[in-house]
Amino acid sequence: MAEPIPVDRLNEWYDELTVEIIERVCAPDSGCLDIGAGGGEILAHMRRAAPQGRHFAVEPLPHYAEGLRRDFPGVTVWQAAAAATEGRDSFVHVVSNPGYSGLRRRPYDRADEMLVEIAVDTVRLDDVVPADARVDLVKVDVEGGEVGALRGAAELLRRESPVVVFEHGGDHAMRDYGTTSDDLWALLVDDLGYTIHTLAGWLAAEPGLDRAAFAKELRTQWYFVAARGPLSARTPEE
């Protein structure tokens, strides 16, 4: 039996598995969408795996968005937060830990995080991603706002059936968004016909999770894969 991954190394492990998934999914001309792109660490792997593809990134923090435009001149970057509706909203910038920033507060590991509220644009990805764009892979890291972000991209998901790698910390991380894990399941599985896997399970071509298994995995994991069709069981040789 494999040794469990230490908690303090889980994020690094998730990143390693995400890179494997990118390499598995992407052809040289694949298109990718990075929702909550931050400093572009995952976007760089998308570009490397699909150098001929058309790529998109969404990032609300101004300094990160500016850096993405500078470092990835061929990528379309929206300085905005992905949401279910277009407009303006307040955004919690966690200055002491920017990766925790989001449209709403979420539980933080430390009690002394430095929070600053800023105003940001919100976009529906169905409104801004061109209808003719090929999108084979989507990454979502929005600190509890994943239901809103994916609702705003529902037509894109139906049309392109991309593999979706998403962070999801369960109900406690979403409480200020007014959404739950049940809402996420209903959107991805019941409405859009996706199957949800752990990252390692998808890479091993294991069957997808049922609702009870997903709830069990949420006790110890916070990154998952949603896939439709044959990619749900894709193996390295395919």
Side-chain angles (χ1 to χ4, degrees):
M1 180 180 294
E3 291 292 325
I5 305 297
V7 172
D8 62 359
R9 209 190 146 250
L10 272 174
N11 279 319
E12 180 184 350
W13 183 62
Y14 290 141
D15 285 347
E16 292 170 359
L17 295 181
T18 298
V19 172
E20 287 188 48
I21 291 168
I22 291 168
E23 293 172 346
R24 188 81 62 84
V25 170
C26 288
D29 59 348
S30 287
C32 300
L33 170 60
D34 192 344
I35 306 175
E41 294 84 357
I42 296 300
L43 182 60
H45 290 288
M46 292 171 167
R47 286 282 308 276
R48 177 184 54 78
Q52 301 164 26
R54 187 179 182 185
H55 303 293
F56 307 91
V58 185
E59 174 52 50
L61 289 177
H63 65 288
Y64 277 150
E66 290 167 9
L68 294 172
R69 291 189 177 113
R70 179 190 65 241
D71 297 338
F72 302 96
V75 174
T76 300
V77 178
W78 293 287
Q79 183 181 313
T85 58
E86 177 186 0
R88 293 281 283 177
D89 204 342
S90 61
F91 186 87
V92 182
H93 178 195
V94 184
V95 179
S96 52
N97 196 346
Y100 279 169
S101 303
L103 283 169
R104 302 290 180 266
R105 295 192 180 207
R106 49 148 292 174
Y108 304 119
D109 294 337
R110 302 186 311 228
D112 60 347
E113 299 285 13
M114 182 184 301
L115 310 181
V116 175
E117 287 200 13
I118 63 174
V120 301
D121 292 328
T122 60
V123 294
R124 291 181 72 255
L125 291 167
D126 283 335
D127 293 338
V128 296
V129 176
D132 63 349
R134 172 180 175 180
V135 179
D136 292 334
L137 181 73
V138 176
K139 187 220 81 180
V140 185
D141 185 351
V142 290
E143 302 304 310
E146 46 271 22
V147 171
L150 292 170
R151 281 175 176 164
E155 292 308 313
L156 167 66
L157 298 180
R158 285 192 181 95
R159 181 177 70 248
E160 299 296 317
S161 296
V163 171
V164 181
V165 179
F166 64 97
E167 183 185 37
H168 178 56
D171 289 349
H172 77 287
M174 308 170 78
R175 63 190 181 195
D176 287 345
Y177 287 87
T179 57
T180 66
S181 289
D182 285 338
D183 295 324
L184 182 66
W185 183 272
L187 174 63
L188 286 174
V189 178
D190 299 334
D191 186 18
L192 297 174
Y194 274 86
T195 301
I196 294 177
H197 310 251
T198 63
L199 303 191
W202 186 87
L203 285 164
E206 294 175 357
L209 305 171
D210 61 20
R211 184 67 185 89
F214 182 49
K216 182 178 179 181
E217 294 290 350
L218 280 170
R219 299 173 191 167
T220 57
Q221 301 206 46
W222 55 87
Y223 262 95
F224 298 89
V225 179
R228 294 172 70 185
L231 280 173
S232 296
R234 186 167 177 172
T235 61
E237 292 74 26
E238 291 183 62

